[in-house]
Amino acid sequence: MDAKNTTHRIGQTGPVEKQTGIRHLFAAASYSLGGAKRLIGEAAFRHELIAFAVAMIAFVIVGATFFQYVAMAILFLLMMAFEAINTAIEEIVDRVSPEISEMGKNAKDLGSFACLCLIVANAVYAGYVVIFDGFMK
C-alpha cells in the first residue's frame, strides 16, 4: 500500500483505488466470493463439506434441537475460516519460499494443526449430539 491508500490485486497492472461506502461493501463481497471459489478447489474442504452434510442428516434423524443445529453451524463456520486461513498460509509460503525450508514447513504444519483441532471439535460435538443426546435419550 502507498500513501494514496491503494492496494494491489492479482492480475491488475497498477494500483486500484479503494472503494468507499456501498461500493466497498460490494467489492468486499466480491473478494469473499472469490475466496470461497478458491476454497472449494481444496480437496480437504470438500471432504469437510461432505462431513457437515452427513452430520446434518444425522441431526435430523436423531431430532436435534435448534440450539444443537446452531452450535454445529458455528463450529462448521469456524472450520471453514480456519481452512481458508490455512490455504492462504500455504499459498503465501509457496509464493515467497518455493524451495523447501524448515520455516515454511513449520508454517504449513501449524496451519494444518489448527484445522485438525477444529475438525476434532466438530467431530466430537456431532458425535455427542448423535450418540449421547440422540440415540441414548
Side-chain angles (χ1 to χ4, degrees):
M1 243 190 319
D2 63 16
K4 292 182 182 178
N5 195 22
T6 59
T7 184
H8 294 279
R9 299 292 296 171
I10 293 176
Q12 298 292 326
T13 58
V16 176
E17 292 295 321
K18 280 200 163 190
Q19 303 293 326
T20 58
I22 192 74
R23 287 185 181 158
H24 173 74
L25 179 66
F26 287 115
S30 170
Y31 302 149
S32 295
L33 184 59
K37 287 179 183 176
R38 169 61 186 89
L39 195 56
I40 200 75
E42 290 291 312
F45 180 69
R46 291 191 307 271
H47 295 151
E48 292 161 358
L49 278 174
I50 291 167
F52 179 69
V54 168
M56 290 296 96
I57 292 167
F59 276 33
V60 169
I61 291 169
V62 300
T65 67
F66 177 74
F67 172 78
Q68 290 168 329
Y69 281 104
V70 170
M72 189 73 230
I74 290 169
L75 276 173
F76 182 71
L77 286 170
L78 282 170
M79 187 167 60
M80 287 188 343
F82 273 60
E83 193 65 51
I85 291 169
N86 182 47
T87 300
I89 289 168
E90 289 176 354
E91 290 206 358
I92 291 168
V93 167
D94 290 346
R95 171 75 172 142
V96 172
S97 178
E99 72 283 348
I100 296 174
S101 70
E102 190 66 24
M103 193 178 301
K105 179 188 178 313
N106 290 340
K108 288 181 170 189
D109 289 351
L110 288 166
S112 181
F113 178 69
C115 288
L116 175 65
C117 290
L118 253 301
I119 290 168
V120 169
N122 275 264
V124 166
Y125 182 71
Y128 166 78
V129 170
V130 171
I131 295 169
F132 293 109
D133 204 34
F135 290 127
M136 297 202 174
K137 279 187 188 178

